[in-house]
Amino acid sequence: MRAIKFRAWDKSIKKMIHPKLWDNSMPSNWEHWYELQQFVGLLDKNGDEIYEGDIISSGGMESSIIEYVGTEFMRRVNRYELRNQYYPFRSHHKYEIIGNIHENKNLIQWSKEEI
């Protein structure tokens, strides 16, 4: 069973934060200030936790954005002509996190509205 963990993009300071940094002063309308991203339960080839919103690469495969779709995590291919193509996120691949959708927009070929 995977651990249920989250990280959050702080929209005001434009920085990723982790739950251990949160306190009781978190506003009740947190959705206005934070975008939560869930841990997928896997580590990349460097031992880093993979979360929703991460941009990953795997050898010869296209870079992909990790998204929660329906009931599972999927890889959304980061290539314009396949921009809405989703593929299963397989644990046997050796993924590497190369960025995330907030801090590394240069790795994404689509606008934020399409992500």
Side-chain angles (χ1 to χ4, degrees):
M1 178 180 271
R2 74 177 171 85
I4 304 297
K5 298 182 190 181
F6 292 89
R7 68 180 183 192
W9 176 251
D10 186 318
K11 297 174 185 177
S12 61
I13 63 172
K14 308 263 188 260
K15 186 175 181 178
M16 201 66 73
I17 60 172
H18 293 272
K20 63 184 174 188
L21 302 177
W22 296 351
D23 59 26
N24 292 333
S25 65
M26 191 167 168
S28 59
N29 62 341
W30 60 267
E31 301 94 347
H32 178 74
W33 302 101
Y34 303 99
E35 182 180 318
L36 292 180
Q37 298 174 333
Q38 189 173 357
F39 174 52
V40 303
L42 297 173
L43 304 177
D44 78 350
K45 69 180 192 176
N46 299 314
D48 296 320
E49 295 177 340
I50 302 174
Y51 285 82
E52 290 178 83
D54 280 340
I55 302 169
I56 61 168
S57 178
S58 178
M61 296 170 31
E62 303 94 346
S63 59
S64 306
I65 299 168
I66 302 302
E67 295 183 6
Y68 193 73
V69 180
T71 59
E72 64 183 311
F73 291 101
M74 302 285 284
R75 294 184 310 107
R76 184 172 165 187
V77 173
N78 184 24
R79 195 169 68 198
Y80 183 75
E81 64 270 15
L82 297 176
R83 68 178 171 209
N84 288 316
Q85 296 293 313
Y86 290 90
Y87 297 94
F89 188 60
R90 305 281 187 220
S91 61
H92 62 274
H93 288 288
K94 296 291 182 192
Y95 299 108
E96 181 177 20
I97 298 168
I98 58 172
N100 66 63
I101 60 172
H102 299 289
E103 298 170 310
N104 308 100
K105 292 180 182 171
N106 60 313
L107 299 175
I108 303 169
Q109 297 172 354
W110 316 312
S111 68
K112 177 67 173 138
E113 291 75 33
E114 293 180 282
I115 294 173

